[in-house]
């Protein structure tokens, strides 16, 4: 693990809520490029090992959006949770077409391991966030590797749900804000999956939370989902939470789904309810 420790470069560090909000850069073996991630170290991390909550961001985001807009640090400090927020895709891989649209390529890795050329060499965000990044974090920070959880927004909500459903028992808690719940059935998901995974739709099923929930058999997973009722992407049939809720209810997977009147898809919505999510995670991480 020492080679991991050599490889981290600190980009920034700011005192925040008694702890430190930091950003690091490293060379990713999965993505074959330099990647940045943010890590919040609560005051407790100075003396004790702490659990880790991974935050997966949505389309167009970098590691910066969550740490500057969500207001998560006070609750993370209170509950003694390290929060890690990676970027949403490889950067600067010189792949033809990577910067052509906002919902595919750069800033839109969709947390899948691509199977198609020219994406499959770099676009391995699923393995990056579920394997490489946790190993890197556990090697370099005062974590308890047994206590990790995952949370995210929109495309990142999809990422959080599939990470938890594909790895029974690995994540102690999962929650999401306005997740893309059934990507096989919505325009965003169909575009991304066609491009990264190819035309064989059976390969898509490995990354669709609604499909994964239907075959989930693992330890009980309590899912918390917040969704803004005035979210433009809800009305545009991109998010499809009802499909996931129906399957979870059939499979008796507990879901608390809160439709929040008046809220949209933005970070103002996340900021409004992030404390509830961190509390939900703390209940399982600190149990």
């Amino acid at each position: 693990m020492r080679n991991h420790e050599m490889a981290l470069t600190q980009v920034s560090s700011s005192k925040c809520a008694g702890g430190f909000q930091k950003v690091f850069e490293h060379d990713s073996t999965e993505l074959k490029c330099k990647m940045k991630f943010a890590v919040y170290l609560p005051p407790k991390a100075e003396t004790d090992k702490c659990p880790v909550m991974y935050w997966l961001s949505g389309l167009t985001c970098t590691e910066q959006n969550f740490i500057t807009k969500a207001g998560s640090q006070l609750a993370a400090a209170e509950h003694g949770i390290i929060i890690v927020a990676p970027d949403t895709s490889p950067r600067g891989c010189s792949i033809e077409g990577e910067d052509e649209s906002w919902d595919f390529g750069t800033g839109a890795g969709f947390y899948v391991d691509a199977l198609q050329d020219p994406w499959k060499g770099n676009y391995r965000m699923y393995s990056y966030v579920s394997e490489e990044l946790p190993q890197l974090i556990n090697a370099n920070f005062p974590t308890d590797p047994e206590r990790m959880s995952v949370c995210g927004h929109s495309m990142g909500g999809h990422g959080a749900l599939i990470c938890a459903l594909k790895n029974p028992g690995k994540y102690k808690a999962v929650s999401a804000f306005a997740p893309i719940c059934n990507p096989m059935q919505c325009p965003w998901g169909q575009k991304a999956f066609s491009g990264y995974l190819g035309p064989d739709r059976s390969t898509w099923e490995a990354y669709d939370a609604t499909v994964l929930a239907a075959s989930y058999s693992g330890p009980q997973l309590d899912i918390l989902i917040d969704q803004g009722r005035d979210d433009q992407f809800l009305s545009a049939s991109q998010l499809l939470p009802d499909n996931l809720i129906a399957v979870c209810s059939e499979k008796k997977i507990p879901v608390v789904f809160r439709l929040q009147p008046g809220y949209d898809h933005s970070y103002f919505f996340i900021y409004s309810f992030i404390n509830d999510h961190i509390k939900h995670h703390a209940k399982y991480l600190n149990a």
Side-chain angles (χ1 to χ4, degrees):
M1 284 297 192
R2 301 298 300 182
N3 60 338
H4 280 319
E5 294 178 46
M6 298 298 293
L8 277 193
T9 307
Q10 185 168 290
V11 177
S12 64
S13 177
S14 302
K15 183 99 177 177
C16 183
F20 287 92
Q21 180 62 65
K22 295 173 180 277
V23 173
F24 290 89
E25 189 174 61
H26 73 111
D27 289 307
S28 165
T29 50
E30 286 289 356
L31 310 179
K32 301 183 178 60
C33 66
K34 279 200 185 313
M35 288 296 283
K36 289 195 181 99
F37 63 86
V39 58
Y40 178 70
L41 298 168
K44 195 176 177 197
E46 286 177 29
T47 52
D48 292 300
K49 292 191 166 187
C50 297
V52 183
M53 181 183 107
Y54 288 85
W55 169 270
L56 306 181
S57 291
L59 288 163
T60 75
C61 289
T62 68
E63 81 291 339
Q64 287 292 316
N65 300 68
F66 180 74
I67 64 174
T68 56
K69 295 180 177 177
S72 60
Q73 292 92 346
L74 283 169
E78 181 194 337
H79 294 286
I81 295 172
I82 293 170
I83 300 185
V84 175
D87 203 343
T88 53
S89 78
R91 300 269 164 185
C93 295
S94 307
I95 298 171
E96 196 180 334
E98 69 186 351
D99 295 322
E100 274 172 21
S101 53
W102 67 277
D103 56 0
F104 185 79
T106 303
F110 260 86
Y111 305 103
V112 303
D113 287 349
L115 301 170
Q116 296 292 106
D117 287 326
W119 310 99
K120 66 184 185 191
N122 304 93
Y123 276 67
R124 297 181 51 78
M125 285 299 295
Y126 172 71
S127 288
Y128 177 71
V129 299
S130 65
E131 297 295 336
E132 182 181 358
L133 190 58
Q135 285 168 16
L136 189 70
I137 297 299
N138 293 337
N140 288 282
F141 299 99
T143 63
D144 175 353
E146 296 301 302
R147 293 187 294 152
M148 62 191 273
S149 69
V150 65
C151 182
H153 170 233
S154 197
M155 174 184 77
H158 140 77
L161 291 168
I162 65 167
C163 280
L165 290 164
K166 283 166 79 66
N167 299 280
K170 180 172 182 168
Y171 297 92
K172 300 291 180 217
V174 60
S175 71
F177 291 84
I180 302 171
C181 293
N182 195 182
M184 292 182 72
Q185 304 296 336
C186 78
W188 277 340
Q190 289 163 352
K191 177 176 179 176
F193 288 5
S194 299
Y196 296 135
L197 304 173
D200 177 1
R201 289 176 69 100
S202 68
T203 62
W204 300 11
E205 296 179 356
Y207 299 107
D208 186 306
T210 299
V211 176
L212 291 167
S215 61
Y216 180 80
S217 60
Q220 181 169 313
L221 201 55
D222 283 347
I223 303 172
L224 170 63
I225 297 175
D226 271 315
Q227 170 65 60
R229 187 178 282 165
D230 291 17
D231 184 328
Q232 67 274 36
F233 300 114
L234 181 64
S235 50
S237 298
Q238 292 282 21
L239 307 177
L240 306 174
D242 294 350
N243 298 5
L244 176 65
I245 292 159
V247 169
C248 286
S249 123
E250 257 168 61
K251 291 283 295 181
K252 305 207 168 10
I253 299 170
V255 180
V256 173
F257 178 76
R258 309 192 303 185
L259 197 57
Q260 305 286 8
Y263 286 92
D264 61 16
H265 199 72
S266 72
Y267 265 88
F268 296 112
F269 163 56
I270 297 169
Y271 178 90
S272 304
F273 300 103
I274 190 69
N275 287 7
D276 291 354
H277 284 247
I278 291 172
K279 210 165 164 179
H280 171 77
H281 288 251
K283 185 168 88 178
Y284 296 96
L285 291 172
N286 294 328

